[in-house]
Amino acid sequence: MSELQKLVFGYVGLLALLALTVGSSFLDLGGFNVALNLTIAAAKTVLIALLFMHLTGTLPRLAVAAAGLWLVILFGLTVIGR
Amino acid sequence: MSGTESIVFDSPRREWRADTFAMWVFVGSEAMLFGAIFLVFLFAHIDFGPAFASASKHLSLPLGTFNTAVLITSSFTMALAHMFALHKRWRPAVWSLLATSSLGVCFLVVKGIEYGKEIDEGLAPLLGLPFRYAGPDPVHAEFFFSLYFTMTCLHALHLVGGILAIAGLLAFWPKARPGNRQRRVVAVGLYWHFVDIVWVFMFPVLYLINR
Amino acid sequence: MTSAMMPSTYLAEGSSPGAWLLTTDHKRVAWLYLVSLTAFFFLGGAMAVLMRVELATPAGDLVADDIYNRLFSLHGIIMVWFFLVPSIPATLGNFLLPLMIGARDLAFPRLNLASWYVFIFGSLFALFSVVAGGVDTGWTFYTPLSTLYANGFVSTAALGVFIVGFSTIMTGINFIVTVHTLRAPGLTWFRLPIFVWTLYATSLVMVLATPVLAASLILIVLERVFGIGIFNPDLGGDPLLFQHLFWFYSHPAVYIMILPGMGVVSEVLPCFSRRPLFGYKAVALSSMAIAVFGFLVWGHHMFVSGQSAYGSVIFSFLSFCVAIPSAIKVFNWSLTLRKGEISFETSMLYALFFLGLFTFGGLAGLFLAALAVDVHLHDTYFVIAHFHYIMVGGMVTAYMAGLHFWWPKLTGRMYSETAGRIAATVTFVGFNLTFFPQYMLGFDGMPRRYHTYPPEFQFWHVLSSAGAVVLAIGYLMPLFYLGSSLFRGARAPDNPWNATGLEWQTSSPPPPHNFETIPVVTRPAYAYDMKGLEHERFSPHRPAPP
Ligand code: HEM
Ligand SMILES: [Cu+2]
């Protein structure tokens, strides 16, 4: 049952990333801790979205892309304006 | 009878498409809500990085990590429920849903324990509780804890919503037609996974960054 | 169910309170909204009249400063969130969107009804704040005034707006999904009426901006109730951050409050000049452009707030750019009229007034977008005049245009054209008399939100107050002639204006589920140049292809 395999792969991957992110917090990487932690969170999000939420089809992608773009606007212009 | 739930749609496929799309739009909308909250945290963090870093060390990393694992597991069982429902294997689907909501409850219980500890240590600047903090820059450490409670409570509220949604889904389960069961599992699932993603960001932002 | 058993119109489906309050028919939900929004409009209007009466003399003789603060705050809160944001989308949009795209209802009829209940629930909070003692923060809820100093019922008012936000989001999701999934066969995106495009663009803004408002309001409530200090500088918070979050929502929200109006006039102008809409694609796409670029300019409300000067320059530049898509529309509407066979029905009068007033208000926006000029004009009556020209002169006028245009479809009755034309003209005159003097006041330096002023301002204030009375009469008139048309009006034909558009192919009023067979669309929108063809846009008897 390859469907199940996919889900298990996602699950194991998420736990591995969790271990990685917690582990990295014990190392002092200077400014890179933040970047690494956020990258790992993004990677986890991708796993969940693709494997668990079945992000396929134009319409769902459109919704996600729109929300993504608008978050960029919100963060970007507020940073500029402040 | 075309097998759609509402007269609006002429085929179940279209209805299904509309349902999932609506859920994704809703998720996008919720993402903006949490985005705004994270933005507030971001600026506070930029302004008071050192105070936040030392305050963040007072959170319980073991409990936070454990809870993250719990939520990830609940997302996994939710995905299992989705898979079983699509295959019309109703019994395992129901068990997966029950597991998902129990894990959700487990998360809340652990979070409650954490809150209890923080209140005992005098780290909860809420409801007029005393704030006792020995580290440097207590004013901004207090600010960190305000944000911590705001963010985690907002997330917990969403989780409660998810648990209630699963409960409602199961309450109407016996009477629901197969198509409707599937559509509802998919819809609740999308919401559940989203709440999980929110935590996936909250955890490093609150517990890990600049430890 | 055979067709013989079906009631012939949605109005004949039952008139018990239950048949209305538990309906999921989008046409009836539209009426629920229409009635509630009308009540709010006149409530907010009454407060405006009180303010104008107070301002007729320089002294504060009618109300004390404290009461005056509460009047303008509640006026703004009610007019923005309890009237203008839902106005066209929730009434005309709700009624027409499924009809215009050949659908039997919105994608989620129960969600639609639920949105009305959420709206009512939220409005109870707001009404409670009115009755309990009011709010004095202005509609903008600026911190730290709203969090640390205001002693009114800020939390309940903010919660009311917060809850109403959910109803907005529900409507937005419903519209977006409906437009994507329920268009009739043959109805491609570029055959959609512009009204549908603008509703779609509006919904996009609703869904993506409202949550940010929700976040900022809930933080205010938390700060007031729990003292968490997110906007309190003493505790490390940043009051300016509130303004960023608020305007991230509220500038796009001004487009929530104008786009549907642009959609309405895009329907009305071609119909009464018997010409296809000029530059259809440009009008359609500029609606989307407005929705997107409207999110890039919020900082123009904060030029004097102490935000970064660098940011202000960027926001000023982007604000000039955002006027471009609006200007495109104005040019296209004007060119639609060119060489048209123009007739001046009531809704056409309103639409033409819209054109003038919107343009005038928009141009004033460019003054304000100019960084240096805004330092002088910010927080003066010039700003008040600017946004009233657009929101009242534009959107409310468009709302009246739409209400008159589709009234025969909504009710199956015709109203008195004479009365309608008189009311439209009275409104136009009253509006300009009320708000043009406010440009002058603002330019001369009269600040907004004061109940007293130096005597040299009195001339313009008196004109403005007199205009408000005329305007009030203009808005009260439709209550009478539209109301009486319900009982005494002539029966409306299915297509009284000989308009294109699927909604006119149904009976007046339409049957419960709009279309017995889903129509097939073969023509572009606004085929007013195809003589004699408009009635064949689809044949009701031809079954949809499988
Ligand atoms: C043509 C493009 C527009 C431009 C360039 C523009 C520009 C501006 C600027 C710069 C301000 C801030 C003035 C100040 O506070 O000093 C402003 C205020 C305002 N504008 Fe516009 N505007 C435009 C269109 C609109 C539209 C379409 C609406 C509403 C439907 C609108 C509603 C408002 C409101 C409500 C305020 C004042 C908010 C407050 O302070 O209470 N504007 N506009
Ligand atoms: Cu603006």
Side-chain angles (χ1 to χ4, degrees), chain A:
Chain A
M1 208 184 193
S2 81
E3 219 174 319
L4 184 61
Q5 271 169 8
K6 248 173 43 184
L7 298 186
V8 172
F9 170 78
Y11 180 50
V12 174
L14 285 170
L15 289 181
L17 286 173
L18 172 62
L20 197 62
T21 196
V22 173
S24 79
S25 74
F26 290 104
L27 307 173
D28 185 4
L29 305 175
F32 286 104
N33 279 87
V34 180
L36 185 65
N37 279 313
L38 291 180
T39 313
I40 292 177
K44 283 186 187 165
T45 305
V46 170
L47 278 184
I48 297 178
L50 292 183
L51 298 178
F52 290 177
M53 297 168 94
H54 307 275
L55 175 55
T56 51
T58 355
L59 291 185
R61 284 197 193 134
L62 192 69
V64 172
L69 177 65
W70 260 262
L71 282 172
V72 170
I73 296 176
L74 173 64
F75 277 74
L77 281 180
T78 315
V79 169
I80 290 178
R82 224 173 76 116

Side-chain angles (χ1 to χ4, degrees), chain B residues 125-128 142-143 146 150, chain C residues 147-148 219-232 235:
Chain B
L126 299 169
L127 302 165
E142 180 174 350
F143 190 36
S146 299
T150 310
Chain C
T147 45
L148 294 179
L219 291 178
I220 284 194
V221 174
L222 289 178
E223 185 149 349
R224 279 185 78 87
V225 178
F226 297 113
I228 59 172
I230 285 181
F231 303 124
N232 181 350
L235 301 179

Side-chain angles (χ1 to χ4, degrees), chain C residues 100-118:
Chain C
M100 284 184 158
I101 65 171
R104 296 201 181 90
D105 206 311
L106 290 172
F108 307 107
R110 273 180 291 177
L111 184 69
N112 193 22
L113 178 65
S115 83
W116 181 73
Y117 277 101
V118 173

Side-chain angles (χ1 to χ4, degrees), chain C residues 139 247 254 301 365 368-369 374 378 383 386-387 390-391 448:
Chain C
W139 76 283
W247 289 115
V254 305
H301 296 274
L368 294 170
D374 187 63
H378 178 68
V383 175
H386 155 64
F387 69 75
I390 298 178
M391 293 175 25
R448 64 193 285 196

Side-chain angles (χ1 to χ4, degrees), chain B residues 109-123:
Chain B
V109 170
V110 174
K111 195 82 228 153
I113 295 173
E114 267 188 88
Y115 284 166
K117 272 182 54 176
E118 280 136 18
I119 291 174
D120 281 349
E121 291 172 28
L123 296 176

Side-chain angles (χ1 to χ4, degrees), chain C residues 425-448:
Chain C
T425 315
V426 170
T427 314
F428 182 70
V429 173
F431 179 84
N432 283 300
L433 194 54
T434 311
F435 289 105
F436 189 81
Q438 300 190 3
Y439 279 125
M440 298 304 171
L441 283 169
F443 202 77
D444 289 347
M446 165 86 201
R448 64 193 285 196

Side-chain angles (χ1 to χ4, degrees), chain C residues 32-351:
Chain C
L32 295 178
Y33 269 113
L34 186 63
V35 171
S36 356
L37 293 184
T38 307
F40 276 113
F41 179 68
F42 284 104
L43 181 61
M47 294 171 178
V49 169
L50 279 178
M51 283 190 280
R52 277 321 322 170
V53 174
E54 160 62 45
L55 291 170
T57 61
D61 21 34
L62 179 67
V63 293
D65 47 1
D66 199 38
I67 306 291
Y68 185 81
N69 290 351
R70 279 154 216 262
L71 280 177
F72 73 67
S73 302
L74 289 163
H75 166 73
I77 291 170
I78 287 176
M79 284 305 200
V80 168
W81 284 296
F82 296 90
F83 175 68
L84 210 53
V85 165
S87 61
I88 291 185
T91 59
L92 296 172
N94 231 333
F95 193 96
L96 292 163
L97 179 61
L99 287 165
M100 284 184 158
I101 65 171
R104 296 201 181 90
D105 206 311
L106 290 172
F108 307 107
R110 273 180 291 177
L111 184 69
N112 193 22
L113 178 65
S115 83
W116 181 73
Y117 277 101
V118 173
F119 175 82
I120 293 297
F121 182 61
S123 63
L124 290 180
F125 278 78
L127 288 176
F128 170 80
S129 334
V130 178
V131 178
V135 189
D136 58 0
T137 60
W139 76 283
T140 45
F141 291 110
Y142 270 12
T143 55
L145 171 64
S146 62
T147 45
L148 294 179
Y149 304 109
N151 51 13
F153 288 76
V154 180
S155 297
T156 42
L159 271 180
V161 175
F162 175 80
I163 295 168
V164 167
F166 285 105
S167 130
T168 313
I169 294 175
M170 288 163 142
T171 305
I173 294 180
N174 217 340
F175 282 7
I176 289 180
V177 176
T178 304
V179 175
H180 271 287
T181 59
L182 283 174
R183 278 170 289 123
L187 190 54
T188 56
W189 280 87
F190 284 116
R191 283 181 182 170
L192 286 174
I194 294 294
F195 187 49
V196 175
W197 274 100
T198 54
L199 286 177
Y200 181 79
T202 306
S203 307
L204 191 73
V205 182
M206 287 174 163
V207 165
L208 291 167
T210 316
V212 177
L213 175 75
S216 53
L217 291 176
I218 208 70
L219 291 178
I220 284 194
V221 174
L222 289 178
E223 185 149 349
R224 279 185 78 87
V225 178
F226 297 113
I228 59 172
I230 285 181
F231 303 124
N232 181 350
D234 284 346
L235 301 179
D238 179 358
L240 212 59
L241 200 51
F242 174 80
Q243 293 189 27
H244 277 295
L245 294 178
F246 181 83
W247 289 115
F248 176 86
Y249 163 83
S250 286
H251 184 82
V254 305
Y255 290 110
I256 295 180
M257 295 182 252
I258 194 67
L259 274 165
M262 296 171 157
V264 167
V265 299
S266 301
E267 304 298 313
V268 174
L269 291 174
C271 177
F272 295 110
S273 46
R274 313 308 303 164
R275 296 252 296 140
L277 185 68
F278 186 90
Y280 168 90
K281 270 197 183 169
V283 179
L285 293 177
S286 65
S287 308
M288 297 308 293
I290 287 179
V292 178
F293 296 127
F295 277 92
L296 306 180
V297 300
W298 78 78
H300 64 211
H301 296 274
M302 300 168 60
F303 286 153
V304 300
S305 70
Q307 70 178 350
S308 88
Y310 177 56
S312 286
V313 172
I314 293 180
F315 279 123
S316 171
F317 172 73
L318 289 171
S319 302
F320 279 105
C321 297
V322 82
I324 294 173
S326 299
I328 290 179
K329 283 187 150 72
V330 170
F331 286 125
N332 282 298
W333 290 322
S334 313
L335 286 169
T336 305
L337 298 173
R338 194 172 155 263
K339 290 192 183 164
E341 300 163 33
I342 297 176
S343 58
F344 295 97
E345 273 79 359
T346 307
S347 45
M348 182 63 162
L349 279 182
Y350 276 117

